Amino acid sequence: FQLTSCGIYDNGNLTTSNGDSATASNFQYYGTWSPNNCNSSCTWTLGNSQTQPTHTTTQQTDPLASLAAPSQPGASSTAGNTTPNNGAILQPGYYANGINLNSNVAVNLTPGLYYMNGSINVGSGATLQCTGCTGGQGVTLYFISGGLQPNSGATISLTAPTTSPPNNAVAN
Protein backbone atom coordinates (compact mmCIF):
# COMPACT_ATOMS: atom_id res chain seq x y z
CA PHE A 1 0.00 0.00 0.00
CA GLN A 2 1.12 3.54 -0.66
CA LEU A 3 -1.17 6.08 0.99
CA THR A 4 -0.65 9.84 0.73
CA SER A 5 -1.52 11.71 3.95
CA CYS A 6 -3.48 8.69 5.21
CA GLY A 7 -3.12 6.06 7.88
CA ILE A 8 -4.10 2.40 7.94
CA TYR A 9 -6.33 0.98 10.66
CA ASP A 10 -7.29 -2.70 10.64
CA ASN A 11 -10.31 -3.33 12.85
CA GLY A 12 -9.82 -7.05 13.30
CA ASN A 13 -7.49 -9.94 12.57
CA LEU A 14 -4.81 -8.40 10.33
CA THR A 15 -2.98 -10.85 8.07
CA THR A 16 0.18 -9.92 6.18
CA SER A 17 2.45 -12.06 4.04
CA ASN A 18 6.10 -12.34 3.03
CA GLY A 19 7.12 -9.29 0.97
CA ASP A 20 4.23 -6.98 1.91
CA SER A 21 4.94 -3.27 2.25
CA ALA A 22 3.05 -0.18 3.33
CA THR A 23 3.76 3.53 3.18
CA ALA A 24 1.39 5.51 5.39
CA SER A 25 1.32 8.09 8.17
CA ASN A 26 0.61 5.25 10.65
CA PHE A 27 -0.56 1.63 10.74
CA GLN A 28 -2.58 0.30 13.67
CA TYR A 29 -4.52 -2.89 14.17
CA TYR A 30 -7.10 -4.05 16.68
CA GLY A 31 -7.41 -7.74 17.53
CA THR A 32 -4.70 -10.08 16.29
CA TRP A 33 -1.95 -9.91 13.67
CA SER A 34 -0.75 -12.95 11.72
CA PRO A 35 2.50 -11.73 10.12
CA ASN A 36 3.11 -14.98 8.14
CA ASN A 37 6.93 -14.61 7.93
CA CYS A 38 6.54 -10.90 7.35
CA ASN A 39 8.68 -9.68 10.25
CA SER A 40 11.98 -9.84 8.36
CA SER A 41 10.81 -9.45 4.76
CA CYS A 42 8.20 -6.69 4.84
CA THR A 43 8.83 -2.99 4.38
CA TRP A 44 7.03 -0.50 6.62
CA THR A 45 7.50 3.20 5.84
CA LEU A 46 5.42 4.76 8.57
CA GLY A 47 5.28 8.00 10.56
CA ASN A 48 5.68 8.44 14.31
CA SER A 49 8.81 6.22 14.42
CA GLN A 50 6.72 3.09 13.77
CA THR A 51 8.72 0.14 12.45
CA GLN A 52 5.74 -2.17 11.87
CA PRO A 53 1.96 -2.22 12.47
CA THR A 54 1.17 -1.28 16.08
CA HIS A 55 -1.43 -3.03 18.24
CA THR A 56 -4.13 -0.91 19.85
CA THR A 57 -6.72 -1.97 22.41
CA THR A 58 -9.26 0.55 21.13
CA GLN A 59 -11.55 -0.55 18.35
CA GLN A 60 -11.94 2.22 15.80
CA THR A 61 -15.38 3.55 14.95
CA ASP A 62 -16.19 4.14 11.33
CA PRO A 63 -14.75 7.61 10.57
CA LEU A 64 -17.26 8.03 7.74
CA ALA A 65 -20.36 6.95 9.70
CA SER A 66 -21.68 10.51 9.82
CA LEU A 67 -21.64 10.78 6.03
CA ALA A 68 -24.50 9.68 3.84
CA ALA A 69 -23.61 6.84 1.51
CA PRO A 70 -22.99 8.03 -2.04
CA SER A 71 -25.83 7.43 -4.48
CA GLN A 72 -25.34 4.46 -6.75
CA PRO A 73 -24.21 5.79 -10.13
CA GLY A 74 -24.99 4.18 -13.45
CA ALA A 75 -22.89 1.28 -14.61
CA SER A 76 -19.36 2.23 -15.53
CA SER A 77 -18.53 2.06 -19.22
CA THR A 78 -15.75 -0.36 -18.21
CA ALA A 79 -17.72 -2.40 -15.61
CA GLY A 80 -18.04 -5.38 -17.96
CA ASN A 81 -14.26 -5.75 -17.89
CA THR A 82 -14.05 -7.58 -14.55
CA THR A 83 -10.57 -8.96 -15.37
CA PRO A 84 -8.79 -6.10 -17.15
CA ASN A 85 -5.63 -6.61 -19.19
CA ASN A 86 -2.32 -4.91 -18.51
CA GLY A 87 -2.54 -1.18 -19.25
CA ALA A 88 -6.34 -0.99 -18.96
CA ILE A 89 -7.88 2.33 -17.91
CA LEU A 90 -11.06 1.93 -15.84
CA GLN A 91 -13.78 4.55 -15.54
CA PRO A 92 -15.80 5.53 -12.44
CA GLY A 93 -19.31 4.17 -11.90
CA TYR A 94 -21.10 1.09 -10.64
CA TYR A 95 -19.33 -2.29 -10.79
CA ALA A 96 -21.89 -5.08 -10.23
CA ASN A 97 -19.29 -7.86 -10.03
CA GLY A 98 -16.13 -6.27 -8.64
CA ILE A 99 -12.74 -6.25 -10.34
CA ASN A 100 -10.07 -8.96 -10.44
CA LEU A 101 -6.53 -7.94 -11.39
CA ASN A 102 -4.46 -10.94 -12.40
CA SER A 103 -0.83 -11.17 -11.31
CA ASN A 104 1.66 -8.73 -12.83
CA VAL A 105 -0.81 -6.40 -14.58
CA ALA A 106 -1.01 -2.63 -14.13
CA VAL A 107 -4.44 -0.98 -14.21
CA ASN A 108 -5.19 2.72 -13.97
CA LEU A 109 -8.33 4.21 -12.39
CA THR A 110 -9.67 7.52 -13.69
CA PRO A 111 -10.58 9.96 -10.84
CA GLY A 112 -14.08 9.53 -9.45
CA LEU A 113 -16.39 7.19 -7.49
CA TYR A 114 -16.07 3.42 -7.91
CA TYR A 115 -19.25 1.93 -6.41
CA MET A 116 -18.51 -1.76 -5.87
CA ASN A 117 -20.85 -4.70 -5.43
CA GLY A 118 -17.97 -7.13 -5.01
CA SER A 119 -14.30 -7.05 -4.16
CA ILE A 120 -11.33 -5.52 -5.90
CA ASN A 121 -8.77 -8.34 -5.88
CA VAL A 122 -5.24 -7.19 -6.70
CA GLY A 123 -3.09 -10.17 -7.70
CA SER A 124 0.52 -10.77 -6.73
CA GLY A 125 2.76 -8.28 -8.48
CA ALA A 126 -0.22 -6.35 -9.90
CA THR A 127 -0.52 -2.55 -9.70
CA LEU A 128 -3.71 -0.54 -9.10
CA GLN A 129 -3.07 3.19 -9.51
CA CYS A 130 -4.53 6.54 -10.43
CA THR A 131 -2.02 8.50 -12.49
CA GLY A 132 -4.63 11.23 -13.13
CA CYS A 133 -5.12 11.91 -9.42
CA THR A 134 -3.58 15.36 -9.35
CA GLY A 135 -4.71 18.86 -8.42
CA GLY A 136 -7.11 17.62 -5.74
CA GLN A 137 -8.73 14.98 -7.93
CA GLY A 138 -8.79 11.43 -6.62
CA VAL A 139 -10.54 8.10 -6.27
CA THR A 140 -13.30 7.05 -3.87
CA LEU A 141 -13.83 3.30 -3.44
CA TYR A 142 -17.26 2.52 -1.95
CA PHE A 143 -18.14 -1.12 -1.25
CA ILE A 144 -21.71 -2.29 -0.69
CA SER A 145 -20.22 -5.79 -0.53
CA GLY A 146 -16.69 -7.12 -0.71
CA GLY A 147 -13.59 -5.07 -0.06
CA LEU A 148 -10.09 -4.24 -1.26
CA GLN A 149 -8.02 -7.44 -1.24
CA PRO A 150 -4.35 -7.02 -2.18
CA ASN A 151 -2.18 -10.12 -2.52
CA SER A 152 1.50 -10.35 -1.66
CA GLY A 153 3.61 -8.06 -3.80
CA ALA A 154 0.63 -6.01 -5.03
CA THR A 155 1.06 -2.25 -5.39
CA ILE A 156 -1.85 0.09 -4.71
CA SER A 157 -1.21 3.79 -5.22
CA LEU A 158 -4.42 5.85 -4.92
CA THR A 159 -5.16 9.37 -3.73
CA ALA A 160 -8.43 10.57 -2.22
CA PRO A 161 -9.99 13.71 -3.72
CA THR A 162 -9.55 16.91 -1.72
CA THR A 163 -11.54 19.38 -3.81
CA SER A 164 -14.95 19.45 -5.47
CA PRO A 165 -14.55 16.06 -7.02
CA PRO A 166 -15.70 14.93 -10.44
CA ASN A 167 -17.84 11.86 -11.03
CA ASN A 168 -19.48 11.82 -7.56
CA ALA A 169 -16.28 11.03 -5.62
CA VAL A 170 -16.31 11.96 -1.94
CA ALA A 171 -13.95 14.82 -1.02
CA ASN A 172 -11.56 14.30 1.90
Side-chain angles (χ1 to χ4, degrees):
F1 286 105
Q2 181 177 354
L3 302 173
T4 304
S5 300
C6 295
I8 301 170
Y9 192 98
D10 185 273
N11 231 8
N13 305 325
L14 172 65
T15 301
T16 56
S17 297
N18 186 22
D20 284 353
S21 67
T23 299
S25 58
N26 61 49
F27 193 157
Q28 294 183 321
Y29 67 95
Y30 173 81
T32 61
W33 176 25
S34 299
N36 296 331
N37 299 317
C38 193
N39 291 329
S40 63
S41 66
C42 293
T43 305
W44 311 113
T45 307
L46 307 169
N48 302 323
S49 301
Q50 279 185 279
T51 58
Q52 65 182 28
T54 303
H55 183 260
T56 180
T57 57
T58 305
Q59 191 168 19
Q60 183 74 9
T61 59
D62 182 353
L64 304 176
S66 65
L67 299 177
S71 298
Q72 180 179 320
S76 170
S77 61
T78 55
N81 189 6
T82 59
T83 307
N85 293 324
N86 190 42
I89 299 172
L90 301 182
Q91 300 298 318
Y94 176 63
Y95 284 75
N97 298 305
I99 300 170
N100 184 46
L101 303 186
N102 289 326
S103 296
N104 302 314
V105 300
V107 172
N108 194 42
L109 301 180
T110 302
L113 170 65
Y114 291 77
Y115 196 99
M116 308 301 298
N117 186 22
S119 293
I120 298 176
N121 297 303
V122 185
S124 179
T127 299
L128 181 65
Q129 61 191 353
C130 179
T131 58
C133 289
T134 60
Q137 293 188 64
V139 168
T140 299
L141 302 177
Y142 182 78
F143 296 90
I144 55 174
S145 71
L148 182 60
Q149 300 177 341
N151 287 292
S152 182
T155 300
I156 300 172
S157 183
L158 301 174
T159 303
T162 59
T163 61
S164 298
N167 302 317
N168 301 314
V170 179
N172 300 316

